[in-house]
Amino acid sequence: MGFEGLLGNDQLKEELRQSLRRGRTAHFYLISGPAGSGRHTLARLLAAGLMCRSSEKPCGTCEACRKVLGGTHPDFITVDDPEKKTVTVDLIRQARADIYVQPNEGDKKIYLFPRAQDMGLPGQNALLKILEEPPAYGVFLLLTDNPESLLPTIRSRCRALMLQPLPEPVLRRELERRCPNQDSQAISAAMGRSGGYLGQALSLLEGGDGLLPQTEEFCAAFAGRDVLGLLQTLIPMEKWKRDQLIPALRQWLELLEESLVCRAGGQVLTPHARKLAASRSSEELLQALRQLQKSIDYAQRNISCAAICGWLQWALR
């Protein structure tokens, strides 16, 4: 198995293989990269490698590997409370006390901090006390999308593992494998907007359009220059409340913005945006965008939804 579960980052993976093979591992690792870069994948594979009983680590098949990768190993501990905005100092103090209890099964006791950037200064200072004098079996995996948010004294004690964007052919091949129903334009757009990170690209593609029925109706009517269709869409919306109307109008606005990007030669995810770009000129799209922005401003000023929808029937005709 090794580190094949993490795409790309070949040099980083080879360095980790060599350090595990030689037994020259660190007590502290700082794994950094943006959302969707593979931080959690790397952390699980590294933890499995540190616990692995085979000569080639991580083998993925021994009991220790299976437990780590399955999230059931008693010596692989996550330090976090997802319901809280920050990683509290109490959680860190609990980990600091717990580390001096010998491992249950493995030779290591590994603590995963999935939101290291969300530790406040008191929490970081509490963690620093462990980092200064850890027990021989202790390992800390700090995951962050912003290494600069951590104290220099913490960063200096960690081995930095920075995840890189995937090469374009690797990313495209994986997206085509995982998302066979997406067309090449959507995949290209996701690749561009993700910055080369698989997780972000998948979120864009798998999230779907998420369009309201009224947005699809608006797109069809506006693209087809169907004044009656636009009326049929807007008239029922006159009875909406403002907290319903504003999100819908913002979705229309975003669709027009994406259409303008498409008109300018950019890759876009949404087929509806491509449809608008093909049927309307840049000037028409820009004018409609301005009218929608005005309508959102009106709604935020407590003008009635009926008045706004009536005005849009005229402005977008």
Side-chain angles (χ1 to χ4, degrees), residues 256-308:
L256 289 172
E257 289 173 343
E258 199 169 2
S259 301
L260 281 168
V261 170
C262 187
R263 288 284 305 181
Q267 298 278 3
V268 297
L269 282 163
T270 314
H272 293 79
R274 297 200 288 269
K275 179 179 179 180
L276 285 172
S279 60
R280 291 280 190 162
S281 68
S282 298
E283 292 75 14
E284 289 173 319
L285 292 170
L286 184 59
Q287 179 66 17
L289 189 149
R290 289 171 176 161
Q291 305 293 10
L292 281 168
Q293 185 59 65
K294 282 184 183 180
S295 70
I296 293 170
D297 293 341
Y298 292 154
Q300 292 172 333
R301 294 173 191 167
N302 292 329
I303 294 176
S304 73
C305 293
I308 292 168

Side-chain angles (χ1 to χ4, degrees), residues 90-111:
D90 288 340
L91 277 175
I92 298 168
R93 286 172 177 160
Q94 290 170 19
R96 189 174 67 188
D98 182 70
I99 196 168
Y100 294 105
V101 179
Q102 292 284 330
N104 290 280
E105 295 182 7
D107 297 327
K108 303 286 186 183
K109 202 167 187 180
I110 303 172
Y111 293 83

Side-chain angles (χ1 to χ4, degrees), residues 138-209:
V139 179
F140 297 83
L141 307 179
L142 309 183
L143 277 57
T144 181
D145 58 8
N146 181 18
E148 298 301 318
S149 65
L150 299 176
L151 292 169
T153 44
I154 288 181
R155 297 201 306 269
S156 66
R157 286 169 168 79
C158 294
R159 179 177 174 186
L161 304 177
M162 184 176 293
L163 289 156
Q164 301 297 324
L166 298 181
E168 184 174 325
V170 174
L171 180 57
R172 180 177 292 278
R173 185 166 57 250
E174 188 65 15
L175 291 175
E176 289 174 348
R177 185 183 72 82
R178 296 199 190 192
C179 306
N181 296 325
Q182 296 287 351
D183 60 38
S184 61
Q185 289 189 57
I187 286 176
S188 295
M191 289 172 62
R193 289 171 58 178
S194 70
Y197 293 103
L198 177 63
Q200 292 188 28
L202 286 172
S203 294
L204 290 166
L205 290 170
E206 293 174 350
D209 289 341

